[in-house]
Amino acid sequence: GGTSVAAAAASSQPEELISFDYQDAAVTFSSKGAGIKKYIYKDVVDDVNLTPFDTKGFFATLPELDFREFSRTQNSITFTGDILPGFEVHKTYTFAENGLNALKVAFVNNTAHDITLEPWTFNFGPGLGTVKSEEKDNERESKAVYLVQYEGRKKATLEVLKPKGDSAGVYNPTAEREEEKSTDEDEFNWIWAGVQNRYFLSVIIPQDWTPGVLEATASVVGKKDRLWGLFGQADEKGPQMTVQMPSVTVEANSSKEYNSDFYFGPKDYQEFLALPYHLDRSIEFGFFGALGKIARKVLETFYGWTGNYGVAIILLTVCVQALMFPLTMMSLKSTAQMRKIAPEMKRLQEKYKGNQEALSRETLNLYRKYNVNPFSGCLPMLIQLPIFLALFNALRTSWALHGASFVGWITDLSSKDPYYVLPILMGVVMFFQQKGNMPPGT
């Protein structure tokens, strides 16, 4: 005969914390579900607590079950828990130097009858911590995400799983296939899923199991001031995601394994390009992403030459300005021409003050006389806009700039100038530029 058992019954045993240090992180596991309770990333600026919120633990499974440490090596740790007498679960985390780690969950049945375990889950969130310079924007940037390869698309698509009002946002690959009447399982099976913010990512990557239902909710993680506290406080929320696993039947005297890869750390574009699974898709380059990636590649090339990201940004800016020089000249010429005909334009406006039709006709004749195109000054700006937006997104999402020094007091190019020297200097320069371009008498 067979036995059906719930994931785990509530235990009265207190939670124990198990520490494990490896390379770039100090990890603390919980005995309840053997999830990552604390993940302190050893950053070049300051250590970053990526799990500052109260949580069951990232990658927690069977959170009511008590696990105990079974064994550890320099780069791995194994936990074990008793679901029933003779029915155990073993859970092994193996950390790799490239950041692409492994997680194995094995159910071992040492009894003489089959045992069916009811559906269980992997937990993520609520949300991730971040560096100090990003804390103000972290709630907006924190998202539950998954990557899926749709049929007919060259690249995998990053999808955001948003909670709907007070209910959970749900992604069900099986339901999606039925709705689209598709027999291609890969079209809707996600590649990886988890939570992210601007700089960090935590995801699970199925290896030998079929990706299941994803569910995301918005959990309250703290309080935030409304307009500097003038309107009291509001709830600060973070995304909580669960990966739902189906029930599993383990035959007598046998075991069943679920192998996964996982990533937990910074969104380093260059490192991601060297890894599988398209982790680079988690980095948002914006609408003009192709231009942003080109800008990022050029920036890395200049950094390779100079060894200084500040100098690399200056060189990149010079190159962008050189490429746009013809457009800039077109705009300047248009401005000069409009300034030249300004007195005659003013006379026309006075002469045909009450006759809009005549004013429009004579204005057009004036443009023809001097071969002036009033829109030629705006066109270069419209063409330049996508380039500047792409450059902005490429720089603001660049983990490489975090902790990168430039000169003197600029020790972190991803953060603001601590003394506001550069913004003030730029403002002064722009003031005199504008003053020099103003027509006489204005």
Side-chain angles (χ1 to χ4, degrees), residues 136 409-410 415-428:
K136 188 180 293 184
W409 71 101
I410 307 294
S415 186
K416 65 183 180 182
D417 182 337
Y419 305 112
Y420 300 98
V421 175
L422 294 182
I424 293 170
L425 183 62
M426 185 181 74
V428 171

Side-chain angles (χ1 to χ4, degrees), residues 5 181 238 395:
V5 60
K181 296 180 174 58
L395 295 178

